[in-house]
Structure formats: C-alpha cells, structure tokens
Amino acid sequence: VLDSQYGTYVWPCAVVLAQYLWAHRRSLPGKRVLEIGAGVSLPGVVAARCGAQVILSDSEELPQCLQSCRSSCLMNRLHHVPVLGLTWGRMSPELLSLAPIDVILGSDVFFDPKDFEDILTTIYFLLEKNPHAQFWTTYQVRSADWSIEALLHKWNLKSTHVPLHSFGADKEHLASSSMPGRHTIEMMIISLARSEGT
C-alpha cells in the first residue's frame, strides 16, 4: 500500500515486527494478542495466521485506519479477528472491557513525541491488568533527541532491547522501503518493572 499516511502504509517497522513474530511462531498458538496502532495490521495478521487470538486496534478518530484493519483481515481470510477503536491515553469502554491479553504489539507507534506519553499510559494500564503480558514494539530511530526512557521510569516500566540479528531481521532488504531517508529500526520488549523483593 504505497500511501505514506499513518495507517495506510506498510512501514519498515511492521515488516521487522512481523519477522519477530514469524521467528517465534511456535509460541503463538493460543496466545491472546492485541495490536495497537495497527493500520494495515501486518504484525497482527501474521500473529493470527500463526494461531494467536488477535484483536486489532487503531484510533477511534481514524476510521480509515480501522477500515485498513478490516480490509487486511478480509484479504487474509481472518473473519474472526475483531477490530476495535482504541485511542491512546483515553480510558474508553472498549479499553476497559478488553479480555485478558498476553502480548501487545506496536510497530512504529513511537512516531510523534507528542503521543509517547499517551501510548505508555495505555500500555501501563494494559500491563497492570495483565501483569505477565509484554509489549513487543519496533520503532524507527528518527532523532537522537527522542527518548522514552524517562517516561518508562515514570510509568514503572522497563525495556529490553532485542537485537535484530537475533531473529534474522538485520538484513537491509527485509524492511526495504520506497520512502526517502535511512531506516534504522530497533526492537524492544516493554514490561512492568518489578519492585524490589517481588
């Protein structure tokens, strides 16, 4: 989908996260997975095709992104995958009534710094409800000045860097893109930071 609007393009980060899911496909059957900011939903579709119970979500204020999620499901014969409007930082009935989840997926959601805290507020809420869950996320390094480290500390979250070579995603052709500029992509797993003694 060659359209650089937020949720209508297969961004390089989505390809890398999909590769991570494929590399871990044997662990996915039966896992309950939520993709946030899903757009065309490549990671969520891969997870569902590998046997996970997937829910796709994007902002309730972006109906074209929600339609992209639905279209991806139809094209991949995933008629059982629900699509929810979830807006980062907003405590909606849809967010509050989500069933238990094991993994949250997010590819290139850390795109605009003004959204970083809303994203982590939502992630913190989900991880508090599901303390053993993890947030698997890929992001493109766009500026050395952008960091979520202080926000992770504020929300009692920790991150673990996942080297791309560890799942065969360090090849230049893997996440090739027709978009200009370099595409330095990183992956991390975010979870609740445990306090001392727990």
Side-chain angles (χ1 to χ4, degrees):
V1 180
L2 295 176
D3 180 346
S4 60
Q5 297 300 311
Y6 281 147
T8 55
Y9 182 81
V10 180
W11 294 84
C13 286
V15 177
V16 171
L17 187 53
Q19 174 74 10
Y20 185 80
L21 289 158
W22 181 249
H24 292 85
R25 61 190 175 276
R26 287 180 185 82
S27 71
L28 292 173
K31 284 267 195 305
R32 299 160 302 187
V33 174
L34 169 69
E35 184 176 4
I36 65 166
V40 294
S41 317
L42 177 62
V45 164
V46 170
R49 298 290 296 191
C50 290
Q53 300 169 26
V54 174
I55 298 171
L56 300 175
S57 72
D58 213 311
S59 173
E60 59 195 325
E61 297 166 1
L62 298 172
Q64 74 277 16
C65 291
L66 294 171
Q67 188 53 49
S68 290
C69 293
R70 291 184 192 100
S71 296
S72 291
C73 289
L74 288 174
M75 285 186 278
N76 288 280
R77 297 182 302 282
L78 297 170
H79 307 288
H80 61 284
V81 173
V83 175
L84 295 180
L86 295 178
T87 301
W88 302 326
R90 185 178 299 163
M91 292 298 143
S92 64
E94 291 78 12
L95 181 67
L96 294 170
S97 63
L98 270 177
I101 52 177
D102 301 305
V103 176
I104 307 158
L105 302 175
S107 66
D108 218 1
V109 294
F110 294 108
F111 181 88
D112 189 336
K114 73 175 175 51
D115 295 326
F116 289 4
E117 184 145 31
D118 285 342
I119 295 164
L120 289 176
T121 300
T122 300
I123 295 303
Y124 177 77
F125 173 79
L126 291 168
L127 293 178
E128 275 283 298
K129 273 183 71 173
N130 304 275
H132 301 293
Q134 295 179 328
F135 177 35
W136 298 355
T137 185
T138 51
Y139 61 97
Q140 185 173 328
V141 179
R142 292 184 170 87
S143 170
D145 297 331
W146 296 0
S147 174
I148 63 167
E149 289 305 315
L151 290 171
L152 290 174
H153 181 73
K154 175 181 177 179
W155 287 101
N156 195 34
L157 299 169
K158 66 176 180 179
S159 68
T160 303
H161 179 261
V162 180
L164 299 194
H165 68 82
S166 69
F167 58 99
D170 56 339
K171 300 165 184 63
E172 192 171 318
H173 71 275
L174 180 75
S176 62
S177 168
S178 60
M179 302 187 71
R182 291 177 60 246
H183 300 288
T184 303
I185 296 169
E186 302 286 344
M187 178 169 178
M188 63 182 158
I189 294 176
I190 295 175
S191 57
L192 288 177
R194 305 290 177 207
S195 56
E196 291 297 319
T198 62

